[in-house]
């Protein structure tokens, strides 16, 4: 059935389309309780509403800004599920966080380099400027029951190279930061501080999170310390704002 749009009535056509789709999402024609959580393609919607694809694309962007849909490049537009709670406390562990949400995760090492610490990295790790550090870029994804991956986080992580020699190689073998640190004798570590912010992503962040550059991301800048209070890790993690909800916990002791 062709939707009836009011042209020249004072409400932009793309807004009318967005309102119609939002109503249909509310009626669960897509998403939970529906056969498919994917909206029709831009081409199909353009034909349905008798408009060009640019108008449809603007309507979908409007839905994304409301948090109703998520646009995944190369896959389509999906009704947004409830945000995943990610707990930030004294002991913040990505894998444990996702396990508590009954989610299976996959991890990808994007890059691993040894370089000289500069500026905020050196300060956060208590190192002199120019001291060697390892920088690891990581991408984290959840896996649904059909094995489809959904990007959840992209992070940059720095470790003192003098204390953790060959950290990238050990990490590749043991797969988690906690397990890798344990190999180097750090049996436990805690979060010294977390700085939470929001921003629009640059091209790299958007690509790793599978979003467009008009969708905001949450950022967490953090420093972790060992049991003696010595910094062992500095990192910045980025999360899609429509998929993740940051939950801050107070002291647990």
């Amino acid at each position: 059935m062709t939707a009836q749009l009011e042209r020249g009535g004072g409400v932009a056509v793309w807004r009318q389309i967005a309102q119609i789709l939002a109503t249909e999402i509310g009626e669960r024609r897509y998403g939970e309780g529906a056969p498919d959580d994917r909206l029709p393609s831009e081409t199909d919607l353009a034909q349905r509403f008798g408009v060009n694809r640019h108008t449809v694309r603007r309507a979908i962007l409007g839905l994304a800004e409301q948090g109703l849909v998520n646009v995944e490049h190369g896959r389509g537009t999906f009704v947004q599920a409830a945000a995943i709670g990610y707990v930030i406390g004294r002991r913040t562990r990505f894998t444990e966080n996702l396990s508590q949400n009954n989610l299976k995760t996959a991890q990808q090492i994007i890059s691993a380099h040894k370089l000289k610490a500069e500026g905020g990295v050196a300060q956060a790790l208590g190192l002199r400027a120019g001291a060697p550090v390892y920088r690891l870029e990581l991408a984290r994804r959840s896996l649904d029951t059909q094995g489809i991956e959904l990007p959840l986080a992209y992070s940059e992580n720095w470790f003192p190279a003098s204390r953790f020699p060959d950290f990238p190689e050990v990490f590749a073998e043991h797969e988690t930061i906690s397990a890798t640190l344990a190999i180097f004798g750090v049996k436990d570590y805690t979060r010294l501080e977390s700085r939470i912010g929001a921003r629009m992503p640059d091209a790299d962040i958007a690509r790793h999170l599978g979003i467009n550059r008009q969708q905001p991301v949450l950022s967490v800048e953090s420093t972790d310390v060992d049991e003696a209070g010595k910094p062992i890790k500095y990192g910045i993690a980025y999360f899609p704002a429509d998929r993740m909800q940051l939950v801050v916990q107070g002291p647990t002791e």
Side-chain angles (χ1 to χ4, degrees), residues 3-70:
Q4 297 299 315
L5 301 176
E6 182 181 354
R7 301 177 187 272
V11 179
V13 171
W14 73 264
R15 288 188 182 278
Q16 296 180 56
I17 295 173
Q19 290 169 358
I20 292 170
L21 294 175
T23 298
E24 292 177 350
I25 290 172
E27 294 172 348
R28 296 192 176 182
R29 298 193 193 182
Y30 318 101
E32 184 179 358
D36 190 3
D37 62 354
R38 190 196 312 253
L39 264 63
S41 69
E42 290 182 0
T43 300
D44 289 342
L45 289 173
Q47 182 176 2
R48 172 188 171 186
F49 291 106
V51 298
N52 59 45
R53 291 180 61 184
H54 176 76
T55 301
V56 169
R57 193 171 296 123
R58 183 64 186 88
I60 290 175
L61 179 58
L63 294 174
E65 290 171 347
Q66 297 177 57
L68 295 177
V69 300
N70 176 51

Side-chain angles (χ1 to χ4, degrees), residues 15-164:
R15 288 188 182 278
Q16 296 180 56
I17 295 173
Q19 290 169 358
I20 292 170
L21 294 175
T23 298
E24 292 177 350
I25 290 172
E27 294 172 348
R28 296 192 176 182
R29 298 193 193 182
Y30 318 101
E32 184 179 358
D36 190 3
D37 62 354
R38 190 196 312 253
L39 264 63
S41 69
E42 290 182 0
T43 300
D44 289 342
L45 289 173
Q47 182 176 2
R48 172 188 171 186
F49 291 106
V51 298
N52 59 45
R53 291 180 61 184
H54 176 76
T55 301
V56 169
R57 193 171 296 123
R58 183 64 186 88
I60 290 175
L61 179 58
L63 294 174
E65 290 171 347
Q66 297 177 57
L68 295 177
V69 300
N70 176 51
V71 180
E72 298 184 26
H73 298 299
R75 293 191 62 215
T77 302
F78 296 82
V79 174
Q80 181 59 45
I84 299 169
Y86 185 85
V87 177
I88 298 176
R90 293 190 68 247
R91 289 175 173 81
T92 300
R93 311 288 190 263
F94 187 90
T95 302
E96 293 179 12
N97 255 312
L98 273 295
S99 295
Q100 291 174 2
N101 285 277
N102 297 316
L103 293 174
K104 295 182 179 181
T105 62
Q107 176 176 263
Q108 176 189 4
I109 302 175
I110 298 172
S111 71
H113 300 288
K114 187 176 184 180
L115 42 77
K116 295 180 180 180
E118 298 180 356
V121 173
Q123 183 177 0
L125 292 176
L127 303 172
R128 59 175 175 78
V133 293
Y134 287 111
R135 176 180 179 269
L136 268 67
E137 284 185 280
L138 302 175
R140 313 266 193 163
R141 298 172 172 84
S142 69
L143 298 174
D144 67 12
T145 55
Q146 297 178 344
I148 297 176
E149 296 185 353
L150 179 66
L152 293 181
Y154 161 70
S155 65
E156 302 170 272
N157 309 272
W158 291 266
F159 304 86
S162 59
R163 181 167 182 181
F164 306 118

